Amino acid sequence: MDYLSYEIRGDVAIIGLNRPAKRNAISDAFIEELADAIRRAEREAKAGVIHGHGPHFCAGLDLAEHVSKTPFEGVHGSRRWHEVFGWIQRGKLPWFAALHGAVVGGGLELASCAHVRVADRSAFFALPEGQRGIFVGGGASVRTARLMGVARMTDMMLTGRAVDVDTAERWNLVQYVVDEGEALNKAIDLAAHAATNAEISTYAIIHALPRIQDMGVDDGLFVESFIASFTATSPEAEERLNAFLQKKAGKVTRPGGADG
Ligand code: 1HE
């Protein structure tokens, strides 16, 4: 692999963006490697982590390659990003992004596909497309806007504003903030935990929740009732529910508490 590292740890696939000299900028060949790695992870793991090697998570689209593309090649490139990133967001695995340094442009679009984002204190977030004379093309208008809201995204794109981790957490771009250098470990821990969940519940969580969010209230509640019933009557649910009732499964514990 030229642009990625790939490792399996237990049930977790760990994909590292590995083009640090170019700040992990994503070229056409890079996206094809990512496509293969995601499919491989779906065969070999129950959860996945994406992180970046070098000083930054990802500088987004490879601008050197992009500058010589025709408009239609640009459309095809964008559509390929959509396809591959869609396998992350609505594929078979829960994905955890470990973020540090620059998480900008297409790098933020990639991070926005993950189901959980962990950022260390070095991370910063920006959408410099407006300043480059282009537009987002890796799904940010759909995914990133849903995370932080259109008003904030409009501000970031119009003004070139970069935001730090605390702002990103307040804006719902990241769920966990950790000390510098700790994002990958935290993301792996969370992914390992998610890998122990019932496969059907994980699938429902990552596929049903974003769809229901886009539905009206009545439709959402109706769909929810069927998914709830379908998952609850699975053999895995029966086993897990009985394990709890027989006191063989862990209780819910207080955050940070010592009682469980
Ligand atoms: C690149 C890229 C890139 C760096 N494409 N080559 N993304 C951007 O507009 C962000 C552009 N990058 C930056 O603002 C900075 O590079 C960073 C803040 C990310 C990092 O700064 P720094 O000081 O650590 O690195 P650097 O010296 O700027 O860059 C190191 C090398 O990486 C340098 O090449 P070199 O040959 O001179 O060593 C840079 O040219 C190269 N490099 N970023 C190509 N992005 C599907 S649509 C998505 C739309 C977008 O993503 S638009 C946003 C693009």
Side-chain angles (χ1 to χ4, degrees):
M1 281 185 288
D2 294 325
Y3 302 107
L4 296 175
S5 64
Y6 182 94
E7 184 193 338
I8 293 285
R9 212 179 288 178
D11 284 325
V12 178
I14 304 167
I15 295 176
L17 312 179
N18 197 15
R19 194 191 182 198
K22 296 292 178 186
R23 305 311 186 236
N24 298 328
I26 300 176
S27 60
D28 289 349
F30 193 137
I31 204 87
E32 294 312 318
E33 266 195 22
L34 186 59
D36 291 344
I38 292 159
R39 288 312 200 199
R40 182 175 165 194
E42 288 186 336
R43 293 190 300 273
E44 297 179 351
K46 293 184 176 166
V49 169
I50 297 181
H51 70 104
H53 293 280
H56 303 286
F57 173 70
C58 178
L61 179 69
D62 183 333
L63 297 172
E65 185 178 74
H66 193 68
V67 76
S68 59
K69 284 191 175 175
T70 66
F72 204 40
E73 285 170 343
V75 172
H76 282 307
S78 169
R79 296 300 290 153
R80 183 61 176 155
W81 281 47
H82 291 162
E83 185 175 25
V84 175
F85 284 10
W87 297 343
I88 299 172
Q89 192 190 30
R90 294 185 184 183
K92 291 184 182 157
L93 301 182
W95 286 95
F96 295 75
L99 308 173
H100 74 291
V103 184
V104 305
L108 179 53
E109 294 184 299
L110 173 58
S112 298
C113 298
H115 303 100
V116 177
R117 281 158 293 280
V118 181
D120 83 11
R121 293 213 158 268
S122 72
F124 59 99
F125 303 78
L127 291 168
E129 283 84 347
Q131 287 67 55
R132 307 276 180 250
I134 57 177
F135 190 63
V136 291
S141 63
V142 173
R143 298 192 184 97
T144 315
R146 274 173 172 69
L147 290 175
M148 65 181 175
V150 171
R152 288 168 177 149
M153 182 162 161
T154 305
D155 172 21
M156 283 177 85
M157 291 195 72
L158 286 178
T159 65
R161 177 179 183 179
V163 299
D164 63 15
V165 272
D166 292 323
T167 306
E169 188 188 29
R170 269 194 293 115
W171 285 9
N172 196 37
L173 279 180
V174 303
Q175 284 77 51
Y176 296 85
V177 176
V178 296
D179 289 341
E180 199 167 330
E182 287 304 316
L184 180 57
N185 285 339
K186 179 72 177 176
I188 293 170
D189 281 353
L190 294 168
H193 192 82
T196 67
N197 291 338
E199 214 176 329
I200 188 138
S201 297
T202 295
Y203 194 80
I205 291 162
I206 67 180
H207 282 267
L209 286 182
R211 286 182 170 86
I212 290 173
Q213 189 181 33
D214 287 340
M215 292 177 190
V217 169
D218 281 349
D219 293 338
L221 293 175
F222 183 76
V223 169
E224 182 190 86
S225 68
F226 275 81
I227 295 171
S229 175
F230 182 72
T231 52
T233 52
S234 69
E236 199 165 358
E238 191 182 343
E239 196 179 301
R240 286 168 182 252
L241 294 173
N242 281 327
F244 174 76
L245 294 171
Q246 291 158 14
K247 306 201 183 303
K248 292 177 187 159
K251 291 184 194 180
V252 175
T253 55
R254 285 176 199 281
D259 58 346

